[in-house]
Amino acid sequence: MSKKVIGILSMAYGTPTAVEEILPYYTHIRRGRPPEEQQLNDLIARYEAIGGLSPLNEITGRQVVGLAMQLASLDPDNEYRVYIGMKHWHPYIEETVKQMHADGITDAIGVVWAPHYSSMSVGTYIKYAQEAVEKWGGPANFKFVQDWHLQPLFIESTARRVQAALEQIPAELREQTPVVFTAHSLPARITQSGDPYPQQIEESGRAVAEAIGHGNWFTGWQSAGRTPEPWLGPDILDVIKEQAERGVKSLVICPFGFVSDHLEVLYDVDIEAKQLAEELGIQLVRAASPNDEAAFLRAVATAVLEQVEKD
Ligand code: FEC
């Protein structure tokens, strides 16, 4: 009997692949409003500080290959074709859905390379995919993974990476070192509509802290947008200042709202937050990103397969 073909639309943020693409990319993030010159120059400077451009596309590519391998080994009875669709750069989600339909895919699962659901993050990826399905007339049977923030293999692999970070702290300070789990901030108004995002961040944090038996942990927010409205806080830079005032000498940050090394991790944590911590006499260690770690990719593959089985 021939295998059932299932298309996987894996959706990632996307990043420019050349300096000239930073302006259209930034304009797309701002829903078509071009940034002011100063905002653009600030963004270019942040990319320059991490080496010119972001490694995000390259890492997403490796994650997609790894996800396909995990799916093939976990479920050899079906055939999985893994596609990549980006939110803010080519290939856009819409372009990829068109390709999947043209390739004759009728059964598909969408999954976002981000563990926590918010209507303003994962919800918009799913909306773009659904709009594209409507526009192109397929794939007909399209289902979506909403979140995978408590997927046990995700919690286990994050716990291992946080433990490895803690081990870089001198033994006598380790137990009292706060572990701060961070995610991208969003406008605070999301809480008024009962958005599950802050609660999911808290739940993942608790599960990881319990897995390593570390009592001193809390959540924080990073990379808030540069707009006047209130964003979810406390911001990680305020957390560092507050911890310094309390006499804290070491801190671990685990930016588990992201799954790759990219601008928001390599600049906002590794440069900006580390610089502030250093000025205030705090040793700041960041937990490694999952990137294409096999155990992490198995977690995402398992979340996808759970959705397949929900037929
Ligand atoms: O490495 C790279 O080149 C790209 C890294 C990147 C990731 C990422 C993930 C998330 N974002 C989320 C929400 C927002 C909201 C705004 C916003 C703005 C930016 C800008 C850049 C950027 N984001 Fe992003 N985000 C990344 C990059 N993001 C660049 C524009 C400059 C700036 O504000 O810093 C505000 C939009 C607006 O102005 O209206 C909101 C969320 C995530 C995590 C989930 C996910 O990965 O999708 C949420 C990676």
Side-chain angles (χ1 to χ4, degrees), residues 13-16 25-26 29-31 33 43 46-47 54 56 113-114 120-121 125 184 186 197 225-227 231 257-258 262-264:
Y13 205 82
T15 188
Y25 170 73
Y26 198 175
I29 290 176
R30 290 166 49 86
R31 292 170 296 281
R33 286 176 299 124
L43 182 58
R46 283 190 280 141
Y47 278 114
S54 169
L56 181 59
W113 288 105
M120 281 189 75
S121 63
Y125 286 87
H184 200 294
L186 286 173
Y197 191 60
R226 290 147 177 79
T227 62
W231 288 64
F258 306 106
H262 51 58
L263 191 69
E264 316 295 74

Side-chain angles (χ1 to χ4, degrees), residues 159-192:
R160 272 197 298 276
R161 282 178 279 103
V162 172
Q163 187 62 44
L166 275 168
E167 278 160 21
Q168 293 176 48
I169 306 281
E172 65 279 12
L173 290 177
R174 218 170 277 160
E175 205 180 315
Q176 70 218 51
T177 296
V179 173
V180 193
F181 296 101
T182 64
H184 200 294
S185 183
L186 286 173
R189 66 185 138 87
I190 62 159
T191 53
Q192 287 154 20

Side-chain angles (χ1 to χ4, degrees), residues 43 69 85 102 152 215 249 284 296 310:
L43 182 58
M69 282 165 60
K249 294 285 168 227
L284 195 166
F296 161 71
K310 276 188 194 156

